[in-house]
Amino acid sequence: MRILHTSDWHIGRTFHGHSTMNALADVLAALTEQVRENAVDVVVVAGDVFDSATPSGPAYTLLGDALVALHETGARVIVTSGNHDSAARLGFQARLLRDGIHVLTDPLAVGEPVIIADADGPVNFFGIPYLEPAIVRQHWPEGDAEGRQLRTQAQTMAHAMDLVRIGMGRHSGRSVAIAHCFAAGVDATVGLEREVRQGGLDVVPLSVFDGPDYVALGHIHGRQQISERVRYAGAPLHYSFGEQHKPRGSWLVDLDADGLAGVEWLELPVPRRLVTLTGPLEEILSEANIAEHVDDWVCAIYTDAAPQAEPMRRLRESFPFCAMVQHQPEVVAEERERSYSQRLRAAVTDAERIEAFLEHVRAGHGATETESRLIRAVLDDRVRAEALV
């Protein structure tokens, strides 16, 4: 059996205020073509199908179109819910979907597999929706294996996997588990994945996933291999500049009669590259940079000593897809011993007062030579005007 493992579509997410719907539709079309070209039998989507618990109408349309297109390749499709999804909203249409598309959002059904057979017999797919302990512990008042109330993500996932192993005992054949969580040994993208952890308590140990022939995980947006049989596929689209160096794609998983036979990475196209340009603003706006990155999403980090006037406007004149600008001076002036108020009281002339103010608001950098000439000219004009009154 050939399985394609994908996750974290985040339909409806924006990128610095820009819609990603069209780009995601193109990427999912490419993924569908890969399913057809590689004769995939089952497509697994491991959670965070939507970016919001209240998706827009176009988001539902894109999901429906993607699921139908995948199904029309001849593949079966299995979808679970993630922490961004509303399990109720994602699951309400499960009974309305055509045969061969399975949306698994019920925690009480964790131990009951979707069974799909090939020439070597049945393969049992156990879908574990995202399990928020405070919400699902009511379903399992008995607690974990040691009788403790389910309070953390780690405890809840361990209990769910115990139910999966019980289900494996009841159903012969190979098995695949699908889950959405933060597993031990992975690095999240800073500021991107919504926190599932509380300190270190909610990191799920690798041993929790013992048993199945393959475990398809979602939640982490970068491709990661925790073990040969436990992996994250990551998101199919870049949703943050923190992800720009992480490849986009999915895992192509082969099972033979004995279990896991091989795993291959399938690269997906990137509709628009992400690039971070760092340096003085004039250097970022060089002809060479413009020629190379005019069609890219640009994050500009300019290192000039002082803030520049209208940097985003200037950048977008050359980089139409500049999405972010940050001022990070290359050399940060050390804090002076005297406070601003002390320097202001010590100033004798208006020029000294202006210099103290500029140093205060520009991280210790006073007026440039050109600015000093302009300040002197303005002050001289004021003196002459007052003399004529």
Side-chain angles (χ1 to χ4, degrees), residues 248-277:
R248 304 289 88 172
S250 49
W251 292 112
L252 187 64
V253 181
D254 283 316
L255 301 182
D256 61 15
D258 299 320
L260 185 62
V263 184
E264 177 187 351
W265 177 251
L266 296 182
E267 200 88 12
L268 281 169
V270 176
R272 192 179 303 284
R273 293 186 309 168
L274 278 68
V275 63
T276 299
L277 303 178

Side-chain angles (χ1 to χ4, degrees), residues 78-382:
I78 301 176
V79 180
T80 61
S81 52
N83 58 302
H84 280 250
D85 299 310
S86 162
R89 286 190 173 89
L90 184 61
F92 90 95
Q93 56 185 343
R95 293 185 180 181
L96 305 177
L97 294 171
R98 62 187 66 188
D99 194 32
I101 301 177
H102 310 269
V103 179
L104 310 179
T105 62
D106 183 1
L108 295 178
V110 162
E112 291 300 321
V114 173
I115 303 173
I116 302 174
D118 64 5
D120 296 313
V123 177
N124 303 300
F125 290 84
F126 294 90
I128 305 174
Y130 171 69
L131 302 173
E132 175 58 49
I135 296 174
V136 302
R137 72 168 65 106
Q138 61 178 318
H139 299 309
W140 299 307
E142 70 279 10
D144 63 14
E146 299 178 11
R148 297 172 300 183
Q149 188 179 36
L150 303 179
R151 294 190 175 277
T152 69
Q153 186 77 30
Q155 288 176 311
T156 307
M157 275 301 304
H159 182 66
M161 283 302 300
D162 285 342
L163 297 176
V164 167
R165 284 183 282 269
I166 291 171
M168 289 170 59
R170 291 199 302 262
H171 300 274
S172 62
R174 297 149 293 166
S175 59
V176 173
I178 310 160
H180 196 89
C181 64
F182 194 103
V186 301
D187 295 318
T189 302
V190 175
L192 187 64
E193 288 95 7
R194 187 178 298 167
E195 284 294 316
V196 177
R197 301 167 293 167
Q198 296 174 1
L201 295 179
D202 284 354
V203 176
V204 181
L206 177 60
S207 59
V208 164
F209 303 108
D210 288 348
D213 295 287
Y214 184 77
V215 179
L217 295 179
H219 181 58
I220 301 302
H221 283 203
R223 173 188 71 182
Q224 301 208 34
Q225 177 181 336
I226 312 304
S227 74
E228 184 61 27
R229 58 179 194 83
V230 182
R231 300 171 186 247
Y232 286 94
L237 199 65
H238 289 117
Y239 289 114
S240 159
F241 282 103
E243 298 180 286
Q244 68 187 68
H245 301 300
K246 297 180 179 181
R248 304 289 88 172
S250 49
W251 292 112
L252 187 64
V253 181
D254 283 316
L255 301 182
D256 61 15
D258 299 320
L260 185 62
V263 184
E264 177 187 351
W265 177 251
L266 296 182
E267 200 88 12
L268 281 169
V270 176
R272 192 179 303 284
R273 293 186 309 168
L274 278 68
V275 63
T276 299
L277 303 178
T278 304
L281 188 59
E282 293 304 321
E283 181 180 303
I284 291 175
L285 290 168
S286 67
E287 291 184 4
N289 270 340
I290 294 169
E292 184 175 357
H293 301 295
V294 66
D295 293 321
D296 297 342
W297 288 118
V298 171
C299 170
I301 301 176
Y302 72 94
T303 59
D304 301 71
Q308 300 297 295
E310 300 184 280
M312 180 60 87
R313 180 189 61 77
R314 295 172 62 189
L315 285 160
R316 282 188 173 166
E317 287 176 352
S318 299
F319 303 105
F321 302 100
C322 183
M324 189 175 182
V325 60
Q326 297 178 358
H327 179 218
Q328 294 183 11
E330 194 168 29
V331 178
V332 179
E334 294 183 6
E335 187 174 355
R336 298 198 171 188
E337 292 182 4
R338 293 189 302 168
S339 68
Y340 170 57
S341 60
Q342 289 173 326
R343 294 200 303 273
L344 200 59
R345 284 195 297 270
V348 175
T349 66
D350 286 341
E352 290 175 346
R353 293 186 185 95
I354 294 171
E355 180 72 8
F357 173 75
L358 291 176
E359 289 180 352
H360 175 64
V361 298
R362 301 203 302 201
H365 296 277
T368 64
E369 185 177 341
T370 301
E371 290 170 339
S372 294
R373 287 199 300 271
L374 179 62
I375 291 167
R376 286 196 299 271
V378 170
L379 293 176
D380 288 346
D381 286 345
R382 191 194 71 174

